[in-house]
């Protein structure tokens, strides 16, 4: 559907922020929050987060008091956990499987 967008199959779309494995998510979110208060952070494809990024998202909830909702796969096709999923499952305060 395009980089920097979140889109539904029924045509609803919104701008999104993309990031790379070496990006500091806490700093990015804090900067955006200072400019315009954020009420929630949504992460799609969370299985591709790094261990450090999962920790940074924990800091977002603890220090900035912004809830983080992360969506992604738990394991790959061989049943092995993705790095991001492994740490999200280990460190999350609340889990809801869908």
């Amino acid at each position: 559907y395009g980089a920097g967008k979140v889109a539904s199959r029924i045509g609803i779309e919104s701008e999104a922020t993309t990031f790379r494995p070496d990006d500091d998510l806490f700093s990015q979110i804090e900067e955006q929050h200072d400019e315009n208060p954020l009420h929630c952070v949504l992460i799609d494809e969370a299985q591709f987060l790094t261990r450090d990024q999962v920790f940074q998202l924990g800091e977002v909830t603890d220090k900035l008091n912004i809830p983080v909702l992360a969506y992604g796969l738990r394991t790959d096709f061989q049943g092995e956990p993705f790095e991001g999923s492994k740490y999200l499952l280990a460190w999350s305060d609340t889990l809801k499987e869908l």
Side-chain angles (χ1 to χ4, degrees):
Y1 293 99
K5 289 186 181 183
V6 175
S8 73
R9 291 185 184 113
I10 62 170
I12 299 170
E13 67 179 41
S14 182
E15 290 184 29
T17 302
T18 59
F19 56 89
R20 301 171 65 80
D22 57 341
D23 287 346
D24 182 336
L25 298 184
F26 180 83
S27 295
Q28 287 185 6
I29 293 167
E30 183 178 41
E31 185 178 308
Q32 289 182 10
H33 184 59
D34 288 344
E35 292 175 17
N36 189 18
L38 301 174
H39 302 286
C40 184
V41 173
L42 303 173
I43 304 288
D44 193 20
E45 303 291 350
Q47 69 269 20
F48 299 122
L49 293 167
T50 66
R51 179 184 190 274
D52 289 341
Q53 288 173 328
V54 173
F55 182 82
Q56 293 159 10
L57 292 172
E59 295 288 285
V60 167
T61 62
D62 294 340
K63 293 183 177 177
L64 301 179
N65 201 30
I66 301 171
V68 174
L69 288 85
Y71 299 89
L73 300 174
R74 213 175 0 178
T75 60
D76 65 15
F77 73 98
Q78 295 177 323
E80 295 296 322
F82 288 99
E83 179 179 10
S85 303
K86 178 171 71 172
Y87 290 105
L88 283 166
L89 290 167
W91 296 340
S92 293
D93 292 329
T94 305
L95 292 172
K96 290 187 183 178
E97 290 192 56
L98 302 174

